[in-house]
Amino acid sequence: MDTEHTGVDSGALDAYSRVVTGVATKLLPSVAALSVRSSRGQGAGSAVTFTDDGFLLTNAHVVAGANGGTADFADGTETRFDVVGADPLSDLAVVRVHHPGAPAAPLGNADDLKIGQLVVAVGNPMGLAGSVTAGVVSGLGRSLPARDGRRIRIIDSVIQTDAALNPGNSGGALADSTGTVVGINTAVAGYGLGLAVPINSTTRAIIGDLVANGRVRRAWLGVAGVPAPLPPALAERLGQKLGLRVVEVVPGSPAGAAGIYLGDILITAGGQSTQSVQALQRLMLGPAIGTNLPITLLRKNALVDVVTVPAELD
């Protein structure tokens, strides 16, 4: 037996174990098992405490159709919770427990993650409270469709991980090696994938709206587009390869009123490049409602500037 080689393996395993156990020790007290009863029946999931006064993050689908339920913590505390607000289009929800006391988990920034980075999932899969799994970031920038009635939105920058996730993990924490929460797990049954809604500037704004207003105000332009390549000379000059070709303009919409037409290619909005539908979606949150949004577009090989005023999405 190569004892030197064995010693190296043991050391590496010990280091890995220390990271995972450290994250588990830090986060387990902050993660609750949720029991929910609604018109759809009884359900379960997880939630992560993120303030000292009892606000928890979970998935919108975990609390769908419910006003509240029961939260159980690792120290044996059981308390009722109320649903503060839910946003199916981001699959995020905020609940508040009646008897706060769990420590707040620190929220990080998923935009800093790298593929291959160690992550730890903490939740309550299959009713098994306080479960911990570990893995790596398998993919970044994934997109996940979310539906609210007839409205469909793409959740962008979704984190893909090989850390095992099962029903009941939904709403639990995905953390980096420091125990900082970078995502809210959403188990996707049947896909064989571990996915998490990222914690970043966009979702922080959504969380803030849910806490303050119980809902998320979204802006609406009334335009649909698909990525399209820019002419090579223009792409080189702008340092941008793609724009959004307009394939639909809703009559009477803010886009229509601003003079955006079928076939136009949106290049920037609010000074930010619009190379994907997700890039435009990121701008369509509450602060954009009723404010001027300058858009630069390409029309018949000429650059055109228009100003839109996004309306509130009902």
Side-chain angles (χ1 to χ4, degrees), residues 11-257:
L13 179 61
D14 288 345
Y16 176 87
S17 298
R18 284 195 295 271
V19 170
V20 177
T21 55
V23 173
T25 300
K26 184 175 182 178
L27 288 185
L28 279 172
S30 303
V31 177
L34 300 186
S35 297
V36 181
R37 184 180 295 275
S38 69
S39 58
R40 303 183 182 188
Q42 190 164 351
S46 305
V48 185
T49 307
F50 69 99
T51 72
D52 291 327
D53 53 349
F55 285 95
L56 287 78
L57 266 177
T58 186
N59 288 139
H61 75 260
V62 169
V63 295
N67 295 319
T70 303
D72 293 281
F73 289 88
D75 64 358
T77 300
E78 179 179 317
T79 179
R80 295 285 301 171
F81 72 83
D82 298 317
V83 177
V84 176
D87 179 44
L89 293 181
S90 65
D91 199 20
L92 289 174
V94 171
V95 303
R96 191 174 193 181
V97 295
H98 290 191
H99 300 288
L107 300 183
N109 183 7
D111 292 345
D112 296 332
L113 289 175
K114 306 294 183 184
I115 292 177
Q117 184 173 338
L118 172 66
V119 284
V120 180
V122 181
N124 304 280
M126 313 299 290
L128 302 174
S131 292
V132 177
T133 59
V136 298
V137 175
S138 305
L140 293 167
R142 305 298 195 221
S143 296
L144 181 68
R147 180 183 295 272
D148 182 13
R150 292 189 301 173
R151 293 185 292 169
I152 297 178
R153 185 179 186 274
I154 300 298
I155 304 174
D156 64 331
S157 301
V158 169
I159 305 162
Q160 180 184 337
T161 174
D162 66 353
L165 299 178
N166 294 287
N169 262 123
S170 288
L174 186 72
D176 64 15
S177 59
T178 69
T180 300
V181 179
V182 291
I184 300 299
N185 297 319
T186 176
V188 182
Y191 284 80
L193 299 176
L195 301 176
V197 179
I199 301 295
N200 55 26
S201 59
T202 301
T203 50
R204 282 177 182 271
I206 290 170
I207 294 164
D209 271 356
L210 290 174
V211 171
N213 307 310
R215 68 186 186 93
V216 176
R217 298 178 69 215
R218 280 196 169 81
W220 175 69
L221 276 182
V223 63
V226 296
L230 299 178
L234 180 62
E236 183 176 358
R237 177 158 65 92
L238 298 178
Q240 178 177 331
K241 294 182 178 181
L242 300 174
L244 279 183
R245 184 181 300 278
V246 176
V247 295
E248 181 182 3
V249 179
V250 177
S253 67

